[in-house]
Structures are given as structure tokens and as C-alpha cells.
Amino acid sequence: MKKFTCVQDIGPLSEALSDAQKIKKDRFAFSDLGKNKTLLMIFFNSSLRTRLSTQKAAMNLGMNVMVLDVNQGAWKLETERGVVMDGDKAEHLLEAIPVMGSYCDIIGVRSFAGLTDKKSDYEEKVLNQFIQYSGKPVFSMEAATRHPLQSFADLITIEEFKTKERPKVVLTWAPHPRPLPQAVANSFAEWMNATDYDFVITHPEGYELDPNFVGKAKVEYDREKAFKNADFIYAKNWSAFTDPNYGKVISTDRSWTVDTKSMELTDGAFFMHCLPVRRNMIVTDDVIESEKSIVIPEAANREISAQTVLWRILKSL
């Protein structure tokens, strides 16, 4: 595997899940594979789970790890071609990327959507420049349109907790005070569509996702109908995708907060969220603290998804 940016890059899900299960049973079984290999993790945005889980995954495989916080520990980087660099950006990505590639064997990149220019965001300019110019395998640690390491961990978690072969999985929008990217929602939808789960997306009108990610999912605007008989509720906020409201908050309707009353509509569903979560905006205290909340095992599986991806990339070097 030379890159990892979406579900298509992982190949057959049954094989990926089998690899993840193997790694979870013994995280140090392949600790010699990464010997004398270096992972460079580049963060254009903040991180907690992604940074810690990916670094731990690399260490489990015996790798050296370097971490670069671009906005705190490096020159400000220009990403656009043709710009007269007479402002506060001292270096262009086109020089920085091959230099970074010369110091490592694998590169992980985290770069969020700007939420002002949909075309630019959905072209994934930053991530794709690393793929094109670094000369090294590149994987996404969340990009403008997808968060594949999170979605892989979500899939692993659902497989571990499901009690029926074809569970009903619901992705529900929930309110948030700030505009957030569509990346987690897009990616979760993409991965769920690659399974045979009964997959439903529910949100207020105006929060439709890119049809390329919605795919075969059923879209239900009535949240009560969507939640009925669900086995997993995955809550996430995202800003508007459709024009002219791209990147904007068009509703903070608290009736979409996941609470005990709404969870009672389900078939004893497990509650999931990628974290960090705004309590009593996205989900109430009683739901996230309930025995059906699996947000912590879900987060723990971020180490497993990252290690599985790194293991596969290392084997291809």
C-alpha cells in the first residue's frame, strides 16, 4: 500500500479487519518491521487522538517518529502556485515537501478544510501535493474531505460490538456552535457504504452532504424515524455543504442533541462519536456516560487502525 486517503485504498474490508484483529491481539508482533524506518507526522491543525494513537502505532512497529506542528514549529507555508510571497509565509510547500520527504520513509499529513472555498477544499490541494512531490508513501491523518483513520477505527469498533450480522447504523447531525468540516461525516458514510450494513443518514434540511459520499445511504430528515430500531448511533456535526451556505452554521437546533429520549427510540443502540465532543450540544451527559456509550473503545481503536495502515505500508517499502 503506497497511500491511504480513503476506503478504496485499504482494499477488501474483510482482509483489513482481519489484519486489524491480528495486530490488536499482539501489537508488538511486528516490532522489527519498522526498525530504522522513520515516520514524519505533519500537523497543519490541532490533534489529540490522531497524534497520540498514530505515534504509538508507529512505536509499536519499531519506527522512529518525528512530529512537525507547522503552525508552531516551522516557517509559515504557502500552498498556492503563482503567489507573490511578500507576506508572512516564508516557504512554499513545493520546496518544503521534497525536503521533508528526504528525512523520512513514510509521511502522515493532517490538513483541515478552510471552509471558505469548496472547490479548493474538495480538491485536497495540500494532501495531494504531498502525494505528488514527497517521493514517499503518504497517509491522511484527516484531510479536507475525509478522515480515513477515524472511519477505519469506527468500522473496527462496530464489528467488535455488533450483535447481528447486518446492524442498522445511523449517522446523525447534531448542533455545534462553530462551523466544522464535513470530513468525518463524509468518511464515515463512505466506509459504511462499503459494508452491507443498513446505513441511514439523518440531518435537518440544508445539511445535505456531497452526493458522492452519501452514495447508497438512505437519507431521512425525520430523526425519530431514522433512530427507530437502530443498533448504532453515530453523532457528528458538520457545516453546510451546499451553496450558497458552504462552510456555514445554518442551524443550532438543540432538538437534534442526542439525549436519552431519542436513544429510547433505538434497539438499545450503542452511542458513537469521534471526539472531542461538545457535551449537551452534541450529546447529553447521561448518554455519553451510559453503559451503551462506546466512545472510549472507539478512540482506543484509533491505535489499531493506524498500526494496520502503517504495517501495510511498511510491508510495501
Side-chain angles (χ1 to χ4, degrees):
M1 190 162 68
K2 296 297 184 183
K3 69 178 179 71
F4 178 69
T5 65
C6 60
V7 70
Q8 289 78 16
D9 291 334
I10 202 74
L13 291 185
S14 59
E15 294 178 16
L17 287 165
S18 178
D19 288 346
Q21 187 178 45
K22 184 191 312 180
I23 284 168
K24 192 165 186 177
K25 285 181 179 177
D26 186 353
R27 298 166 204 233
F28 305 103
F30 307 100
S31 57
D32 290 336
L33 188 61
K35 185 178 181 181
N36 297 327
K37 301 293 184 183
T38 299
L39 168 65
L40 173 59
M41 300 165 60
I42 302 164
F43 291 90
F44 290 85
N45 301 95
S46 300
S47 174
L48 189 154
R49 275 148 296 278
T50 298
R51 180 168 181 163
L52 295 179
S53 62
T54 307
Q55 187 166 353
K56 179 62 164 60
M59 292 165 62
N60 292 349
L61 292 166
M63 298 187 75
N64 303 311
V65 182
M66 298 188 296
V67 179
L68 178 64
D69 290 306
V70 171
N71 295 321
Q72 296 180 11
W75 303 111
K76 288 188 177 181
L77 297 175
E78 179 57 64
T79 61
E80 299 294 329
R81 288 178 176 273
V83 173
V84 177
M85 292 175 59
D86 59 355
D88 64 344
K89 295 179 179 178
E91 186 163 7
H92 202 288
L93 268 184
L94 292 179
E95 286 77 58
I97 290 172
V99 167
M100 288 186 253
S102 71
Y103 301 145
C104 64
D105 300 282
I106 302 173
I107 299 176
V109 181
R110 184 175 178 91
S111 179
F112 292 175
L115 295 180
T116 57
D117 184 336
K118 180 164 70 175
K119 182 176 183 294
S120 178
D121 286 343
Y122 276 70
E123 286 177 351
E124 292 286 10
K125 287 184 177 181
V126 173
L127 179 62
N128 285 329
Q129 285 185 78
F130 275 94
I131 293 170
Q132 185 173 359
Y133 298 116
S134 69
K136 297 295 165 66
V138 173
F139 67 95
S140 171
M141 299 191 299
E142 187 171 0
T145 62
R146 295 177 173 93
H147 195 351
L149 287 176
Q150 178 65 54
S151 300
F152 188 14
D154 296 335
L155 176 63
I156 293 167
T157 306
I158 291 172
E159 285 294 303
E160 289 176 339
F161 281 88
K162 71 180 187 180
T163 58
K164 61 183 70 167
E165 192 60 31
R166 188 172 185 264
K168 180 179 179 180
V169 179
V170 178
L171 169 63
T172 180
W173 179 92
H176 194 283
R178 296 174 52 224
L180 299 183
Q182 299 95 35
V184 171
N186 285 345
S187 194
F188 185 74
E190 188 173 59
W191 283 69
M192 293 301 100
N193 278 324
T195 72
D196 63 351
Y197 300 159
D198 178 8
F199 179 50
V200 179
I201 302 174
T202 184
H203 53 73
E205 292 190 21
Y207 277 102
E208 291 78 12
L209 293 168
D210 183 341
N212 292 317
F213 292 105
V214 174
K216 64 182 181 180
K218 179 183 178 182
V219 177
E220 175 58 72
Y221 295 102
D222 185 328
R223 192 180 71 157
E224 289 191 4
K225 288 183 180 178
F227 275 42
K228 187 176 181 181
N229 299 322
D231 299 294
F232 293 88
I233 298 295
Y234 195 106
K236 185 69 182 81
N237 174 267
W238 59 89
S239 58
F241 168 76
T242 54
D243 296 324
N245 294 315
Y246 177 72
K248 296 179 180 178
V249 174
I250 58 175
S251 174
T252 55
D253 183 356
R254 298 291 182 88
S255 70
W256 282 80
T257 300
V258 179
D259 57 12
T260 297
K261 183 178 179 181
S262 59
M263 291 296 287
E264 288 173 349
L265 299 169
T266 72
D267 189 15
F270 292 102
F271 175 79
M272 301 179 70
H273 188 278
C274 62
L275 302 181
V277 65
R278 298 264 184 153
R279 284 183 175 226
N280 302 306
M281 283 288 293
I282 300 288
V283 59
T284 57
D285 290 333
D286 52 335
V287 171
I288 199 169
E289 294 176 10
S290 75
E291 62 181 13
K292 302 296 286 189
S293 172
I294 53 175
V295 297
I296 304 305
E298 179 185 2
N301 276 330
R302 289 294 307 279
E303 178 185 347
I304 306 306
S305 65
Q307 188 168 339
T308 304
V309 168
L310 286 169
W311 178 67
R312 286 183 162 205
I313 294 174
L314 283 169
K315 290 199 303 176
S316 70
L317 294 179

